[in-house]
Amino acid sequence: MEVDLGKVSQAAADWKRAAAELEELRGDVYGSLLQKSDGARWTGVNSSVTKDFVRKTAKEVSDLCEEATSVAAVLDDAARELTAIQKRLRDLTAEARQGDPTRAAGPDPGLVVADGPNGTVRVTEAYCDVNGTSQRTKDRLKWYADTLSNLVAHAAEIDAALERALRRAHGGDPHNAGHAVFTSLDEDQLPRAMKLASLGDEANAGQRAELRRLWSSLSPRARAELWAEHRSELLAAGLLAPTVKRIAPDGGSGPYGVEEPGAAERRTREKMNLIAEAADWKGDNDASRHMAHYLGNSGSDMELPVDKMMSDVPDFRTHIEASIREEQDQWRRTALAEFERNGGQPVAIPVETKNRDFSFTQDANENWFFAVGSTRSNVTGVVTVVPDQSGKPEVALDYQVNAWDRYNWDKDKGVTIGLPGKAELNIPDGQMARLHTTGVAQEFDMAGSSSVKHYDLGGAASNDGPLPAPEQPGRAGDRTDPGREQQEGR
């Protein structure tokens, strides 16, 4: 946060000047001194020794030039990346400390950011609330701590990569220049990324996190090389995981288990079990499964079947596709500019849309209205440009849809569900929320991602054809699925 990275930039500038002067000297040596030495009419022992000395000197000047150019390149690359990370750290720290006191749905309190152990970042509440820490605040605390710690880890990895590159470029002998040649930190980071990606399912969580950070550090050209060789492994490592805030939209029902349950809560729980069973018989399998999980009281996360959500609710699919349409032209222009900048070589650009909220309605789809209600969503992907046989660019997008929410019940919210015939089951306002505060049921997080789809963004002209359809869910999870579980997994 406080280190003066201007010194790194200044060092890079100094080495660029040194490299330029050495390049000029190399031209003089090869264009004048070496030619005169080799062309001299002189024979004998002294001639052989002198000419050999001049050749070695010329090569040493050339090696010094390459070494200075390498040092300048990796310093410049590191300075640019570290400066961007530092700015992101400062911006997020200021954002966390300020909070959002004017938020329409309820103020977000300011948070305190401080150093944690072992290069991590600790984020705490600025003050205690008599009502306890809301779920939204808990999510904010975790998101800021994880994101800031990840940025610090990224900076440390760049620093280590820079040190390795400088050592290899220098070679450890002050009297013998000319060793590894670098044009950027790619020459150090790409082999490491390739190695981590090749681990596949054997990679642990830390290695996968490092692979995602390396991906963001690589140049577009190096990313394309990594993507072409290890696409499936990168996807398995969570390369397309969203980076936007995934936090509860509100405070939820309140603290869990802070009151003693009474007879009313137990009756409500039994009625809710009946409603969950009735919803399952009606075909509202996801609503039933989520309600049963709430009543199961574990609080564990559940996965959202995003393909099924888009398939079941056309308006949700349209909502997602609109976010892609809004960005695809800019994504295409950015990728094509990188393609041209890299001389027509393949490039890969990571892309991500902003968070967009969507509300399901009971009229349109009762199942997802009760299962989720409203969800936050975005699209993450990779835009690639590769040359065709004639060298012209072909632009494509590989993307997935991400959705997340928290299953909770507002304090003023009830539920009514129809039964076979004209009968109904009704839970009055507020009673569902009390199941959480009395410890009879428990809120939980829901999140999921769609299958990865491939879309042609066009060659000479942009493609405005239909986007790929979501995967069809089939019988998965409904009452005709022979493999489904019958209780919380119904």
Side-chain angles (χ1 to χ4, degrees), residues 131 252-266 294 297 411 430-441:
N131 297 318
S253 305
Y256 169 73
V258 294
E259 302 176 62
E260 287 294 325
E265 285 70 47
R266 294 187 178 91
Y294 178 64
N297 206 18
K411 294 179 181 179
Q431 289 193 15
M432 284 296 292
R434 278 193 57 77
L435 296 185
H436 174 82
T437 57
T438 57
V440 174

Side-chain angles (χ1 to χ4, degrees), residues 290-325:
H290 291 184
M291 191 174 291
H293 190 66
Y294 178 64
L295 298 172
N297 206 18
S298 69
S300 59
D301 297 349
M302 285 196 75
E303 183 174 355
L304 286 176
V306 178
D307 278 305
K308 185 174 188 291
M309 292 164 67
M310 291 193 292
S311 180
D312 289 350
V313 187
D315 284 348
F316 181 53
R317 178 181 172 183
T318 300
H319 168 82
I320 294 298
E321 291 183 350
S323 67
I324 297 175
R325 294 301 189 196

Side-chain angles (χ1 to χ4, degrees), residues 91-339:
D91 290 347
L92 286 177
T93 297
E95 178 184 286
R97 287 173 176 168
Q98 181 178 356
D100 188 358
T102 62
R103 181 173 175 267
D108 283 331
L111 307 174
V112 176
V113 179
D115 289 336
N118 303 317
T120 60
V121 178
R122 185 176 67 252
V123 183
T124 57
E125 294 176 272
Y127 59 88
C128 295
D129 191 323
V130 293
N131 297 318
T133 304
S134 72
Q135 185 60 48
R136 179 177 171 83
T137 298
K138 289 178 182 178
D139 289 350
R140 291 177 64 236
L141 289 168
K142 185 177 187 307
W143 186 85
Y144 279 111
D146 289 349
T147 303
L148 293 169
S149 295
N150 189 61
L151 287 168
V152 172
H154 193 181
E157 288 163 0
I158 293 169
D159 182 60
L162 174 61
E163 181 181 352
R164 289 192 299 269
L166 290 172
R167 288 185 183 279
R168 288 177 60 199
H170 181 262
D173 186 348
H175 303 293
N176 180 21
H179 298 278
V181 176
F182 290 83
T183 58
S184 70
L185 287 177
D186 281 350
E187 283 87 358
D188 178 88
Q189 293 174 317
L190 181 57
R192 172 64 177 167
M194 288 284 190
K195 181 178 179 180
L196 289 173
S198 67
L199 294 175
D201 294 338
E202 295 181 3
N204 58 38
Q207 289 168 328
R208 292 184 175 188
E210 183 185 353
L211 179 57
R212 293 193 295 271
R213 290 190 291 266
L214 283 167
W215 169 263
S216 66
S217 278
L218 293 173
S219 69
R221 187 170 173 178
R223 279 196 211 105
E225 186 177 342
L226 180 62
W227 179 257
E229 190 164 336
H230 291 290
R231 178 183 181 276
S232 59
E233 291 88 353
L234 290 170
L235 294 175
L239 184 73
L240 298 186
T243 64
V244 297
K245 290 189 184 74
R246 286 175 288 174
I247 59 179
D250 52 52
S253 305
Y256 169 73
V258 294
E259 302 176 62
E260 287 294 325
E265 285 70 47
R266 294 187 178 91
R267 285 195 298 271
T268 297
R269 188 182 189 282
E270 293 309 311
K271 288 177 69 175
M272 290 309 304
N273 274 319
L274 290 173
I275 288 178
E277 191 64 32
D280 196 35
W281 276 105
K282 286 182 63 180
D284 294 343
N285 310 113
D286 301 284
S288 173
R289 181 168 54 251
H290 291 184
M291 191 174 291
H293 190 66
Y294 178 64
L295 298 172
N297 206 18
S298 69
S300 59
D301 297 349
M302 285 196 75
E303 183 174 355
L304 286 176
V306 178
D307 278 305
K308 185 174 188 291
M309 292 164 67
M310 291 193 292
S311 180
D312 289 350
V313 187
D315 284 348
F316 181 53
R317 178 181 172 183
T318 300
H319 168 82
I320 294 298
E321 291 183 350
S323 67
I324 297 175
R325 294 301 189 196
E326 289 176 6
E327 302 286 351
Q328 73 175 69
D329 286 343
Q330 181 58 51
W331 291 344
R332 187 172 183 277
R333 285 193 295 269
T334 300
L336 284 172
E338 285 294 343
F339 179 76

Side-chain angles (χ1 to χ4, degrees), residues 4 11 15-16 57 71-72 109 173 197 212 222 274 306 339 342 354 376 387 427 433 441 448-449 468 479:
D4 181 8
W15 278 96
K16 283 181 182 178
T57 302
V71 171
D173 186 348
R212 293 193 295 271
L274 290 173
V306 178
F339 179 76
N342 283 272
K354 295 179 180 179
R376 278 124 293 284
I427 303 294
S449 298
R479 297 188 69 84

